[in-house]
Structure formats: structure tokens, C-alpha cells
Amino acid sequence: MSLPAWANVSATRRAHIERVVALLNQWADMMEVPARERGRWVRAGWLHDALRDAALGDARAHGPAAAERAAAEGESDPGVLDAVRYHTIGSAKWDDVGR
């Protein structure tokens, strides 16, 4: 996976997202995370700031907006969507993807 076509990010933000995904892959390697779970982590990494540079009116709105758009485009994993939706504020209901 990579950034979705609907992403609205600057070159600097894209570089940030790429570093986050690289770090998630490193953690998955070190923790010997199964491929399916790694895929969930990586999807959340690519999506978490996909709308960070969009004009949404509230700096914290990009997570919920990206989760909504990802769901509309076919992402159906609640853990991935919650990780994206709440990444700026956290959630006690997160599974391993969010944590």
C-alpha cells in the first residue's frame, strides 16, 4: 500500500508518512508481528495523515476525515479505521493497530 489517490499532503508531510510506515515495519520486524497484523499497521500508517494538509477548518479533523474517506473507499477493518480516526487524541478502545 501507499498513499491513496485522494490524499492531500505536501512533500514534507509525505516524507513524514513514509518515515512512520518505515518505523512501523521496523517495529513489526523486531516484534515478529505476523504479516496480516503488519499489514494493518502499515495501512494505518499510510492513512493517518492522508488528509492532514486538506482545508478542513480544524487541525484535529484530518484523522476522522481520513477514516471516513478510507471506509468509503473500502477499508473495513475497525482497528485500522479507529487508529486513523483517533491518532491525534488516542482511544482507550484501540487494539494493537492504534497502540
Side-chain angles (χ1 to χ4, degrees), residues 51-65 88-89:
L51 292 178
R52 182 66 176 96
D53 296 326
L56 300 172
D58 178 349
R60 292 171 295 175
H62 70 281
T88 59
I89 60 172

Side-chain angles (χ1 to χ4, degrees), residues 24 27-28 31 33 37-45 96-97:
L24 291 168
W27 287 346
M31 297 169 64
V33 172
E37 184 67 11
R38 174 194 299 260
R40 297 175 73 224
W41 293 14
V42 168
R43 289 196 318 274
D96 285 346
V97 178

